Every structure is written in structure tokens, then in C-alpha cells.
Amino acid sequence: MKYVYIETMGCQMNKSDTERMLGILSHFGYEETHEPQNADLLMVNTCSIRQLSEDKAFSQLGVWGKWKQTKPELKIGITGCVAQQKANKVFSRAPYVDFVLGTHKVYALPDVIKRINNGERVCECEETNLPSQNEKGYPINRVKSTNAWINITEGCNNFCTYCIVPYTRGRERSRLPEVIIKEAKDALNAGFKEITLLGQNVDSYGKDFPAKQPSRPELANYRLAQLLRELNALEGNFRIRFVTSYPTDITDELIETAVELDKVCEYFHIPMQSGSSEVLKAMNRRYDRETYAKIVEKVRKMVPDVTITSDFIAGFPGETEEQFEETLTAIDEFELDYCNVAAYSPREKTVAAKWVDKFIPEDVKDERFQRLNKKVQENCLKSNQKYVGREMEVLVESYYERKGKLINTGKTRNFKTVHIPYDKDLTGEFVKVKITGAKTWYLVGEIA
Ligand code: SAH
Ligand code: SF4
Ligand code: F3S
């Protein structure tokens, strides 16, 4: 038996890739360990969305590189977005690395492991124009016992001027419906209670079928709404979510389908990025403030109790104080329930990284980032307070002890976290909960 430790950084895409890689490795006799010191194989699954994330990846490799001096048989690999972006340049910066595996090559892992165990040094980073299909049917070692994440698209075609993802994940590729449905069925049979469909832009699911699947004319108009219908029809009591939605790609059909299907939850993640129409234009987002407002208004009107979350960037090149304030007012005006916020970080290859003369000084960027965070917190609390006194259905995801109290934690259909003090483990159960209190990041409730 050999042991593998994977340090996962970045978004849900990476977490989902880690689950696949652990599944593949378990098939080849590697057991996961949570103690890196005990591992025979150390892997860092990296993110390069900001410079800081990239730096974190190399400092992790640096630590492990030192371990190798006293344990030469140790194998070290780098995967994910930094791997894809740097490819064999990793070896000159971190010579103790045994393999670099790009984001398109998760299923090349068995071959890579064989080769490094024969003493080779391997870089597998070619891009492909097909999505990963798991043709050999390797297991997927999911981290959570209740929630299964399933990729439906990989890559992105949008080329927002700040974003490295189209370079690290390649062009958009939709996985075939039957492959997704099989993964969902397997997860449900294994007892999972929630399926989250993942993609950089889930609403463009299927748009590449006519070109890539010419022998499958029935897929020509197959889109997210159809996929949701097929998944909703699967047997059992479970929930369906999908992230991320690009604002202008959310169709009326999708919203209507989401409302009509009982298993699809009242939750939309619709990143706005900036509240200023001028900044949005410079970001190459294909909407302005008014268009975003209309979309959010429509979703709110059509989907009762919907939670809408978003992402924003502070200090994009050229952003004025007034334009930044438009972001603060957007969060209020659109009553966004929660937002991920980040300070702009210039990324290699991207268009905005060349606008050096428009870069915002670090201290100004940081100050805007802090104000943005404060606004998000205030609104989050306000949004949570709306639910005090209500009865909601919670899917319990974990059970633990905190300050001497036993607590079940889970999510409502509309993605609110609820803490339920209760001395019995209800993980995996749907429970009716009366909401008794609201904090910034979660609700408190008691079993109804
Ligand atoms: N596909 C999603 C976003 C994926 S990246 C969308 O279109 O919204 C996740 C988030 O990282 C983005 O929403 C953005 O807010 C942030 N981000 C991306 N590039 C960034 C950069 N260069 N600097 C700071 N934040 C960035
Ligand atoms: Fe990046 Fe824009 Fe694609 Fe989202 S839509 S992944 S922000 S390029
Ligand atoms: Fe995700 Fe980071 Fe890559 S956000 S897609 S892991 S660059």
C-alpha cells in the first residue's frame, strides 16, 4: 500500500479534479492520507486566479522539495491551473518535482504514475478539445458524503480581460449528457443527497455540441434546461444546483425550468464583477449595470425566496473612486445575499495585465477591498435576518462539537447555512427547521 496526499487550492473545479485523481489513484493502490509526512506521493492541485495563489503553490512545493533531501524516494507532482500555465517551466523553478499534469490531462494520471515510478520526469500538459469522459470508469472519491459535484462544462470562451481561466482550462467543452447522468446516478445510488453541476458558465452547456458531436443531431439543441429535466426525473429525494451563471446567458427557459422542477434549488450565483458599466466594458463583460439589474429583477420575481450571490473585483485597472462606489451601491440595490470579493491581480497573458499605467496602487486597492468586504458582511446579515421565524428545509452536511455543544450544520434549499444545536447526528437527512436567529455567515435553528 502506498499513500498519497493532495493539497487542493482554488475553486470547486479543482476540488472536483482532486476527487477524480484520488479515485484514479485508489484504483492503482494509493490510499489517501491527511498527513503529508506519511505520504509516498505528494501532489499540489493549484490555482492561478491571483498571483498570491500561484505563489502559494510554489512555496508548498518548496517545503516538500526539502523533505525529499532526506527521503529521496518521495514523489512530488503539481496539477491544476498553475501546472497547465507553467508546464515544463516548473522543472527549472522546482527541480525536485517529478511530474506536471495539466488540467486537460486528469485521466493521463495512471500513465504518469507508472512513468515516474520508473524514474522518469513527466510533463503532460497538452490541451485537448474534448472534455474528460472517464472512459475507464475510475471511481470518484468524493470529499463530502452528502454533496456530489459534477462537471458539466470545462474551460471558458469568454476572455474577460482580467481572467486567466481561459488559458488554464482551455476552450469550453461540454460533457455528454449520458456521462453526466451516469455520474449523478452513481452518486445517488451511493447515498448522495445533492448534485451540483459545475462549469465556468453553465448556461452555455451544449452550445459546442453541433460542432463537436455532428453524429448526434439529437444533441444540437440540448442545453442546461434539458439536462436539469433529465436529472430531476431520477428517482429519490435529492437536490440539484448549478454554478456559475454568466448574467446574460441565463435564459427565460432556464429560470422557468428551475422553478418548475421540484429538485432544483432556489439559488443562482451570478457574478457581476463591477457595478460600473464603464468598468464592465473594460473587463469585456457583455452586459452593463442596467442589464444586470434586469436579470436579477427577473430571477427574483420568478423564483420565490431565491438567494443570489455574486463575485466582485476591487481596483481593476483604471477604476475611479466613483466607479468603485457604484460597486458598493450595486450590492445594496440588487440585494445580493453574498459576494466573493477579490483585489485585482494582474495575470500573465491577460489583456488587462498590459494596462500597467492604469494600475491602481496597492494601498488603494486594499482599502477598496476592505470596504467591499464590509458591505458584503452587512448585506449578508441583512439577508439572513429575513429568515428568522421561518420554517425551512435543511440538508444536514456535518455534525460536530463546538464549545461543548453538539451541532448539526447544513444548507437550506436557497443555500443558507444553518447551525442546529442537537445531540444526534443527522448528517444526510432533510430536516424541517425553525429559524431562531441570524448571524453574518449563518442562521441558527431548532428542529421543528
Ligand atoms: N466564470 C466565473 C468566474 C470564475 S473565476 C465568472 O464568469 O464569473 C472566479 C472569480 O475570481 C471571478 O468571478 C473574479 O471575481 C475573480 N477573479 C478572476 N480573475 C481575477 C484577477 N485577475 N484578479 C482578481 N480576481 C479575479
Ligand atoms: Fe474568467 Fe470570465 Fe470565463 Fe469567468 S467568464 S472564467 S471570469 S474568463
Ligand atoms: Fe479555479 Fe483557480 Fe483554476 S479559480 S479554474 S483553480 S485558476
Side-chain angles (χ1 to χ4, degrees):
M1 176 62 72
K2 284 191 168 183
Y3 290 97
V4 56
Y5 173 85
I6 306 187
E7 179 74 40
T8 307
M9 301 168 173
C11 70
Q12 218 58 265
M13 297 285 161
N14 265 13
K15 290 180 186 150
S16 159
D17 286 347
T18 290
E19 296 182 336
R20 282 164 205 282
M21 294 193 289
L22 286 171
I24 296 170
L25 289 166
S26 69
H27 185 81
F28 290 94
Y30 284 84
E31 192 176 315
E32 183 186 13
T33 171
H34 295 285
E35 309 289 338
Q37 294 84 349
N38 299 340
D40 305 283
L41 170 62
L42 291 165
M43 290 165 58
V44 57
N45 191 8
T46 60
C47 170
S48 72
I49 204 79
R50 272 164 272 145
Q51 187 60 42
L52 201 70
S53 351
E54 184 183 322
D55 296 345
K56 234 168 87 185
F58 281 101
S59 78
Q60 180 63 81
L61 286 176
V63 171
W64 292 345
K66 290 211 183 82
W67 294 4
K68 208 170 177 173
Q69 290 167 1
T70 51
K71 198 178 168 189
E73 69 286 5
L74 190 63
K75 300 289 182 199
I76 301 176
I78 170 169
T79 62
C81 289
V82 176
Q84 185 67 41
Q85 178 201 350
K86 301 282 176 200
N88 56 18
K89 284 191 220 128
V90 168
F91 296 130
S92 49
R93 186 156 166 196
Y96 36 79
V97 165
D98 295 280
F99 73 91
V100 183
L101 183 74
T103 55
H104 297 247
K105 290 291 189 154
V106 166
Y107 287 101
L109 191 56
D111 178 58
V112 168
I113 296 298
K114 204 159 77 193
R115 286 162 63 196
I116 61 163
N117 284 337
N118 283 334
E120 245 185 273
R121 202 192 221 187
V122 184
C123 176
E124 279 283 357
C125 291
E126 301 85 67
E127 288 206 9
T128 52
N129 64 0
L130 288 175
S132 54
Q133 304 290 20
N134 191 9
E135 273 148 7
K136 300 228 166 93
Y138 291 122
I140 300 171
N141 289 13
R142 302 194 186 276
V143 175
K144 285 203 171 183
S145 61
T146 48
N147 315 63
W149 297 305
I150 303 184
N151 292 62
I152 63 166
T153 66
E154 292 167 7
C156 181
N157 291 348
N158 282 331
F159 291 94
C160 303
T161 53
Y162 50 81
C163 184
I164 200 165
V165 171
Y167 306 95
T168 63
R169 294 269 163 183
R171 291 301 66 69
E172 198 164 77
R173 310 172 299 283
S174 302
R175 300 179 76 213
L176 290 168
E178 62 269 26
V179 175
I180 297 166
I181 291 163
K182 170 156 191 319
E183 274 186 16
K185 277 187 184 160
D186 289 348
L188 296 172
N189 288 338
F192 287 86
K193 301 288 194 249
E194 190 171 287
I195 304 282
T196 302
L197 306 177
L198 292 180
Q200 293 301 347
N201 177 5
V202 283
D203 304 281
S204 30
Y205 176 73
K207 284 185 186 162
D208 54 335
F209 285 151
K212 295 219 186 102
Q213 303 289 339
S215 61
R216 301 274 306 269
E218 79 282 9
L219 292 182
N221 294 311
Y222 195 102
R223 295 290 181 273
L224 181 59
Q226 274 96 319
L227 182 63
L228 289 174
R229 270 185 225 118
E230 285 203 58
L231 290 168
N232 195 78
L234 297 178
E235 242 170 76
N237 187 15
F238 66 97
R239 292 171 172 179
I240 304 170
R241 301 186 192 279
F242 50 87
V243 283
T244 296
S245 297
Y246 190 92
T248 39
D249 289 336
I250 303 176
T251 58
D252 286 357
E253 188 196 5
L254 177 75
I255 310 174
E256 281 157 18
T257 312
V259 175
E260 166 202 318
L261 300 175
D262 61 325
K263 289 167 186 160
V264 176
C265 294
E266 296 70 32
Y267 171 58
F268 280 77
H269 181 57
I270 320 176
M272 186 183 191
Q273 311 298 0
S274 167
S276 148
S277 296
E278 290 102 26
V279 174
L280 288 169
K281 198 156 177 226
M283 287 176 160
N284 192 31
R285 301 288 286 186
R286 302 185 307 269
Y287 53 89
D288 57 14
R289 183 179 174 116
E290 288 65 42
T291 314
Y292 185 88
K294 281 191 193 124
I295 293 156
V296 168
E297 195 187 339
K298 182 153 69 182
V299 173
R300 286 223 187 273
K301 204 182 260 165
M302 290 169 71
V303 191
D305 277 341
V306 69
T307 288
I308 301 180
T309 57
S310 193
D311 295 353
F312 287 97
I313 296 175
F316 183 75
E319 182 189 66
T320 63
E321 170 61 25
E322 291 71 35
Q323 289 168 336
F324 171 69
E325 282 168 17
E326 287 187 71
T327 292
L328 297 179
T329 59
I331 297 176
D332 279 335
E333 190 180 321
F334 309 138
E335 294 178 40
L336 298 170
D337 295 272
Y338 171 76
C339 311
N340 300 305
V341 299
Y344 171 74
S345 168
R347 307 307 293 127
E348 199 183 308
K349 289 190 182 154
T350 62
V351 174
K354 300 186 183 81
W355 301 337
V356 181
D357 55 334
K358 291 188 181 162
F359 281 4
I360 306 295
E362 288 301 320
D363 56 333
V364 178
K365 241 172 20 184
D366 191 52
E367 188 261 345
R368 289 183 189 169
F369 171 73
Q370 306 292 351
R371 275 152 77 199
L372 199 47
N373 255 324
K374 197 163 154 263
K375 171 62 67 192
V376 171
Q377 286 187 28
E378 285 164 16
N379 280 43
C380 210
L381 180 62
K382 248 191 259 168
S383 145
N384 283 347
Q385 282 163 340
K386 289 190 295 207
Y387 293 98
V388 176
R390 291 269 302 270
E391 196 175 293
M392 302 176 94
E393 181 201 79
V394 174
L395 167 59
V396 177
E397 296 174 358
S398 63
Y399 179 62
Y400 54 90
E401 194 191 312
R402 197 172 138 205
K403 293 183 191 156
K405 254 196 206 162
L406 291 163
I407 295 176
N408 283 275
T409 289
K411 289 256 182 338
T412 60
R413 284 179 60 99
N414 63 1
F415 210 60
K416 297 281 179 190
T417 301
V418 186
H419 290 189
I420 314 156
Y422 191 68
D423 60 2
K424 195 174 138 227
D425 185 356
L426 302 174
T427 304
E429 289 184 37
F430 292 98
V431 287
K432 287 266 177 282
V433 173
K434 170 111 191 276
I435 304 301
T436 54
K439 309 264 181 199
T440 301
W441 305 126
Y442 60 91
L443 299 168
V444 184
E446 54 194 40
I447 309 283

mmCIF file with all atom_site columns, all heavy atoms in Angstrom, residues 406-419:
data_model
loop_
_atom_site.group_PDB
_atom_site.id
_atom_site.type_symbol
_atom_site.label_atom_id
_atom_site.label_alt_id
_atom_site.label_comp_id
_atom_site.label_asym_id
_atom_site.label_entity_id
_atom_site.label_seq_id
_atom_site.pdbx_PDB_ins_code
_atom_site.Cartn_x
_atom_site.Cartn_y
_atom_site.Cartn_z
_atom_site.occupancy
_atom_site.B_iso_or_equiv
_atom_site.pdbx_formal_charge
_atom_site.auth_seq_id
_atom_site.auth_comp_id
_atom_site.auth_asym_id
_atom_site.auth_atom_id
_atom_site.pdbx_PDB_model_num
ATOM 1   N N   . LEU A 1 406 ? -23.200 20.133 20.827 1.00 0.00 ? 406 LEU A N   1
ATOM 2   C CA  . LEU A 1 406 ? -23.216 19.314 19.612 1.00 0.00 ? 406 LEU A CA  1
ATOM 3   C C   . LEU A 1 406 ? -24.069 20.011 18.558 1.00 0.00 ? 406 LEU A C   1
ATOM 4   O O   . LEU A 1 406 ? -25.193 20.445 18.846 1.00 0.00 ? 406 LEU A O   1
ATOM 5   C CB  . LEU A 1 406 ? -23.757 17.928 19.951 1.00 0.00 ? 406 LEU A CB  1
ATOM 6   C CG  . LEU A 1 406 ? -22.793 17.117 20.824 1.00 0.00 ? 406 LEU A CG  1
ATOM 7   C CD1 . LEU A 1 406 ? -23.489 15.943 21.476 1.00 0.00 ? 406 LEU A CD1 1
ATOM 8   C CD2 . LEU A 1 406 ? -21.591 16.662 20.017 1.00 0.00 ? 406 LEU A CD2 1
ATOM 9   N N   . ILE A 1 407 ? -23.508 20.139 17.373 1.00 0.00 ? 407 ILE A N   1
ATOM 10  C CA  . ILE A 1 407 ? -24.181 20.934 16.341 1.00 0.00 ? 407 ILE A CA  1
ATOM 11  C C   . ILE A 1 407 ? -24.262 20.188 15.011 1.00 0.00 ? 407 ILE A C   1
ATOM 12  O O   . ILE A 1 407 ? -23.277 19.601 14.547 1.00 0.00 ? 407 ILE A O   1
ATOM 13  C CB  . ILE A 1 407 ? -23.448 22.279 16.138 1.00 0.00 ? 407 ILE A CB  1
ATOM 14  C CG1 . ILE A 1 407 ? -23.550 23.100 17.419 1.00 0.00 ? 407 ILE A CG1 1
ATOM 15  C CG2 . ILE A 1 407 ? -24.022 23.072 14.949 1.00 0.00 ? 407 ILE A CG2 1
ATOM 16  C CD1 . ILE A 1 407 ? -22.805 24.388 17.409 1.00 0.00 ? 407 ILE A CD1 1
ATOM 17  N N   . ASN A 1 408 ? -25.437 20.224 14.405 1.00 0.00 ? 408 ASN A N   1
ATOM 18  C CA  . ASN A 1 408 ? -25.612 19.754 13.034 1.00 0.00 ? 408 ASN A CA  1
ATOM 19  C C   . ASN A 1 408 ? -25.594 20.994 12.143 1.00 0.00 ? 408 ASN A C   1
ATOM 20  O O   . ASN A 1 408 ? -26.254 21.985 12.455 1.00 0.00 ? 408 ASN A O   1
ATOM 21  C CB  . ASN A 1 408 ? -26.960 19.060 12.863 1.00 0.00 ? 408 ASN A CB  1
ATOM 22  C CG  . ASN A 1 408 ? -26.958 17.668 13.448 1.00 0.00 ? 408 ASN A CG  1
ATOM 23  O OD1 . ASN A 1 408 ? -26.558 16.719 12.794 1.00 0.00 ? 408 ASN A OD1 1
ATOM 24  N ND2 . ASN A 1 408 ? -27.382 17.548 14.706 1.00 0.00 ? 408 ASN A ND2 1
ATOM 25  N N   . THR A 1 409 ? -24.821 20.927 11.053 1.00 0.00 ? 409 THR A N   1
ATOM 26  C CA  . THR A 1 409 ? -24.782 22.069 10.138 1.00 0.00 ? 409 THR A CA  1
ATOM 27  C C   . THR A 1 409 ? -25.205 21.615 8.755  1.00 0.00 ? 409 THR A C   1
ATOM 28  O O   . THR A 1 409 ? -24.817 20.539 8.310  1.00 0.00 ? 409 THR A O   1
ATOM 29  C CB  . THR A 1 409 ? -23.358 22.660 10.075 1.00 0.00 ? 409 THR A CB  1
ATOM 30  O OG1 . THR A 1 409 ? -23.101 23.296 11.301 1.00 0.00 ? 409 THR A OG1 1
ATOM 31  C CG2 . THR A 1 409 ? -23.238 23.695 8.983  1.00 0.00 ? 409 THR A CG2 1
ATOM 32  N N   . GLY A 1 410 ? -26.010 22.453 8.120  1.00 0.00 ? 410 GLY A N   1
ATOM 33  C CA  . GLY A 1 410 ? -26.431 22.088 6.772  1.00 0.00 ? 410 GLY A CA  1
ATOM 34  C C   . GLY A 1 410 ? -26.855 23.300 5.993  1.00 0.00 ? 410 GLY A C   1
ATOM 35  O O   . GLY A 1 410 ? -26.638 24.438 6.423  1.00 0.00 ? 410 GLY A O   1
ATOM 36  N N   . LYS A 1 411 ? -27.473 23.040 4.839  1.00 0.00 ? 411 LYS A N   1
ATOM 37  C CA  . LYS A 1 411 ? -27.879 24.121 3.958  1.00 0.00 ? 411 LYS A CA  1
ATOM 38  C C   . LYS A 1 411 ? -29.382 24.046 3.675  1.00 0.00 ? 411 LYS A C   1
ATOM 39  O O   . LYS A 1 411 ? -29.951 22.971 3.537  1.00 0.00 ? 411 LYS A O   1
ATOM 40  C CB  . LYS A 1 411 ? -27.133 24.005 2.621  1.00 0.00 ? 411 LYS A CB  1
ATOM 41  C CG  . LYS A 1 411 ? -25.660 24.340 2.718  1.00 0.00 ? 411 LYS A CG  1
ATOM 42  C CD  . LYS A 1 411 ? -25.420 25.710 2.146  1.00 0.00 ? 411 LYS A CD  1
ATOM 43  C CE  . LYS A 1 411 ? -23.987 26.200 2.119  1.00 0.00 ? 411 LYS A CE  1
ATOM 44  N NZ  . LYS A 1 411 ? -22.991 25.680 2.956  1.00 0.00 ? 411 LYS A NZ  1
ATOM 45  N N   . THR A 1 412 ? -29.970 25.239 3.549  1.00 0.00 ? 412 THR A N   1
ATOM 46  C CA  . THR A 1 412 ? -31.355 25.304 3.096  1.00 0.00 ? 412 THR A CA  1
ATOM 47  C C   . THR A 1 412 ? -31.351 25.131 1.571  1.00 0.00 ? 412 THR A C   1
ATOM 48  O O   . THR A 1 412 ? -30.294 25.183 0.939  1.00 0.00 ? 412 THR A O   1
ATOM 49  C CB  . THR A 1 412 ? -31.966 26.676 3.410  1.00 0.00 ? 412 THR A CB  1
ATOM 50  O OG1 . THR A 1 412 ? -31.191 27.671 2.732  1.00 0.00 ? 412 THR A OG1 1
ATOM 51  C CG2 . THR A 1 412 ? -31.974 26.952 4.898  1.00 0.00 ? 412 THR A CG2 1
ATOM 52  N N   . ARG A 1 413 ? -32.512 25.004 0.981  1.00 0.00 ? 413 ARG A N   1
ATOM 53  C CA  . ARG A 1 413 ? -32.579 24.929 -0.485 1.00 0.00 ? 413 ARG A CA  1
ATOM 54  C C   . ARG A 1 413 ? -31.944 26.166 -1.089 1.00 0.00 ? 413 ARG A C   1
ATOM 55  O O   . ARG A 1 413 ? -31.245 26.082 -2.100 1.00 0.00 ? 413 ARG A O   1
ATOM 56  C CB  . ARG A 1 413 ? -34.046 24.811 -0.945 1.00 0.00 ? 413 ARG A CB  1
ATOM 57  C CG  . ARG A 1 413 ? -34.656 23.422 -0.737 1.00 0.00 ? 413 ARG A CG  1
ATOM 58  C CD  . ARG A 1 413 ? -36.098 23.411 -1.200 1.00 0.00 ? 413 ARG A CD  1
ATOM 59  N NE  . ARG A 1 413 ? -36.235 23.742 -2.601 1.00 0.00 ? 413 ARG A NE  1
ATOM 60  C CZ  . ARG A 1 413 ? -36.384 22.844 -3.592 1.00 0.00 ? 413 ARG A CZ  1
ATOM 61  N NH1 . ARG A 1 413 ? -36.414 21.555 -3.318 1.00 0.00 ? 413 ARG A NH1 1
ATOM 62  N NH2 . ARG A 1 413 ? -36.511 23.252 -4.840 1.00 0.00 ? 413 ARG A NH2 1
ATOM 63  N N   . ASN A 1 414 ? -32.190 27.340 -0.458 1.00 0.00 ? 414 ASN A N   1
ATOM 64  C CA  . ASN A 1 414 ? -31.623 28.557 -1.037 1.00 0.00 ? 414 ASN A CA  1
ATOM 65  C C   . ASN A 1 414 ? -30.232 28.888 -0.487 1.00 0.00 ? 414 ASN A C   1
ATOM 66  O O   . ASN A 1 414 ? -29.836 30.046 -0.440 1.00 0.00 ? 414 ASN A O   1
ATOM 67  C CB  . ASN A 1 414 ? -32.605 29.734 -0.931 1.00 0.00 ? 414 ASN A CB  1
ATOM 68  C CG  . ASN A 1 414 ? -32.912 30.114 0.500  1.00 0.00 ? 414 ASN A CG  1
ATOM 69  O OD1 . ASN A 1 414 ? -32.383 29.513 1.428  1.00 0.00 ? 414 ASN A OD1 1
ATOM 70  N ND2 . ASN A 1 414 ? -33.746 31.115 0.693  1.00 0.00 ? 414 ASN A ND2 1
ATOM 71  N N   . PHE A 1 415 ? -29.495 27.868 -0.150 1.00 0.00 ? 415 PHE A N   1
ATOM 72  C CA  . PHE A 1 415 ? -28.059 27.950 0.110  1.00 0.00 ? 415 PHE A CA  1
ATOM 73  C C   . PHE A 1 415 ? -27.666 28.745 1.339  1.00 0.00 ? 415 PHE A C   1
ATOM 74  O O   . PHE A 1 415 ? -26.570 29.294 1.424  1.00 0.00 ? 415 PHE A O   1
ATOM 75  C CB  . PHE A 1 415 ? -27.331 28.515 -1.129 1.00 0.00 ? 415 PHE A CB  1
ATOM 76  C CG  . PHE A 1 415 ? -25.920 27.998 -1.278 1.00 0.00 ? 415 PHE A CG  1
ATOM 77  C CD1 . PHE A 1 415 ? -25.686 26.643 -1.415 1.00 0.00 ? 415 PHE A CD1 1
ATOM 78  C CD2 . PHE A 1 415 ? -24.829 28.857 -1.265 1.00 0.00 ? 415 PHE A CD2 1
ATOM 79  C CE1 . PHE A 1 415 ? -24.387 26.146 -1.544 1.00 0.00 ? 415 PHE A CE1 1
ATOM 80  C CE2 . PHE A 1 415 ? -23.526 28.373 -1.388 1.00 0.00 ? 415 PHE A CE2 1
ATOM 81  C CZ  . PHE A 1 415 ? -23.312 27.018 -1.531 1.00 0.00 ? 415 PHE A CZ  1
ATOM 82  N N   . LYS A 1 416 ? -28.566 28.833 2.316  1.00 0.00 ? 416 LYS A N   1
ATOM 83  C CA  . LYS A 1 416 ? -28.194 29.462 3.584  1.00 0.00 ? 416 LYS A CA  1
ATOM 84  C C   . LYS A 1 416 ? -27.659 28.364 4.490  1.00 0.00 ? 416 LYS A C   1
ATOM 85  O O   . LYS A 1 416 ? -28.249 27.271 4.565  1.00 0.00 ? 416 LYS A O   1
ATOM 86  C CB  . LYS A 1 416 ? -29.425 30.106 4.245  1.00 0.00 ? 416 LYS A CB  1
ATOM 87  C CG  . LYS A 1 416 ? -30.046 31.230 3.436  1.00 0.00 ? 416 LYS A CG  1
ATOM 88  C CD  . LYS A 1 416 ? -29.252 32.494 3.597  1.00 0.00 ? 416 LYS A CD  1
ATOM 89  C CE  . LYS A 1 416 ? -29.849 33.624 2.778  1.00 0.00 ? 416 LYS A CE  1
ATOM 90  N NZ  . LYS A 1 416 ? -28.962 34.793 2.751  1.00 0.00 ? 416 LYS A NZ  1
ATOM 91  N N   . THR A 1 417 ? -26.575 28.679 5.193  1.00 0.00 ? 417 THR A N   1
ATOM 92  C CA  . THR A 1 417 ? -26.025 27.722 6.147  1.00 0.00 ? 417 THR A CA  1
ATOM 93  C C   . THR A 1 417 ? -26.817 27.826 7.447  1.00 0.00 ? 417 THR A C   1
ATOM 94  O O   . THR A 1 417 ? -27.089 28.933 7.917  1.00 0.00 ? 417 THR A O   1
ATOM 95  C CB  . THR A 1 417 ? -24.542 28.040 6.416  1.00 0.00 ? 417 THR A CB  1
ATOM 96  O OG1 . THR A 1 417 ? -23.854 27.980 5.166  1.00 0.00 ? 417 THR A OG1 1
ATOM 97  C CG2 . THR A 1 417 ? -23.923 27.056 7.394  1.00 0.00 ? 417 THR A CG2 1
ATOM 98  N N   . VAL A 1 418 ? -27.202 26.682 8.018  1.00 0.00 ? 418 VAL A N   1
ATOM 99  C CA  . VAL A 1 418 ? -27.949 26.703 9.278  1.00 0.00 ? 418 VAL A CA  1
ATOM 100 C C   . VAL A 1 418 ? -27.242 25.823 10.310 1.00 0.00 ? 418 VAL A C   1
ATOM 101 O O   . VAL A 1 418 ? -26.857 24.689 10.009 1.00 0.00 ? 418 VAL A O   1
ATOM 102 C CB  . VAL A 1 418 ? -29.402 26.189 9.088  1.00 0.00 ? 418 VAL A CB  1
ATOM 103 C CG1 . VAL A 1 418 ? -30.199 26.350 10.386 1.00 0.00 ? 418 VAL A CG1 1
ATOM 104 C CG2 . VAL A 1 418 ? -30.105 26.915 7.951  1.00 0.00 ? 418 VAL A CG2 1
ATOM 105 N N   . HIS A 1 419 ? -27.028 26.385 11.503 1.00 0.00 ? 419 HIS A N   1
ATOM 106 C CA  . HIS A 1 419 ? -26.479 25.609 12.622 1.00 0.00 ? 419 HIS A CA  1
ATOM 107 C C   . HIS A 1 419 ? -27.637 25.161 13.506 1.00 0.00 ? 419 HIS A C   1
ATOM 108 O O   . HIS A 1 419 ? -28.447 25.991 13.920 1.00 0.00 ? 419 HIS A O   1
ATOM 109 C CB  . HIS A 1 419 ? -25.533 26.462 13.459 1.00 0.00 ? 419 HIS A CB  1
ATOM 110 C CG  . HIS A 1 419 ? -24.256 26.776 12.742 1.00 0.00 ? 419 HIS A CG  1
ATOM 111 N ND1 . HIS A 1 419 ? -23.184 27.369 13.352 1.00 0.00 ? 419 HIS A ND1 1
ATOM 112 C CD2 . HIS A 1 419 ? -23.874 26.575 11.459 1.00 0.00 ? 419 HIS A CD2 1
ATOM 113 C CE1 . HIS A 1 419 ? -22.210 27.517 12.488 1.00 0.00 ? 419 HIS A CE1 1
ATOM 114 N NE2 . HIS A 1 419 ? -22.603 27.056 11.328 1.00 0.00 ? 419 HIS A NE2 1
#
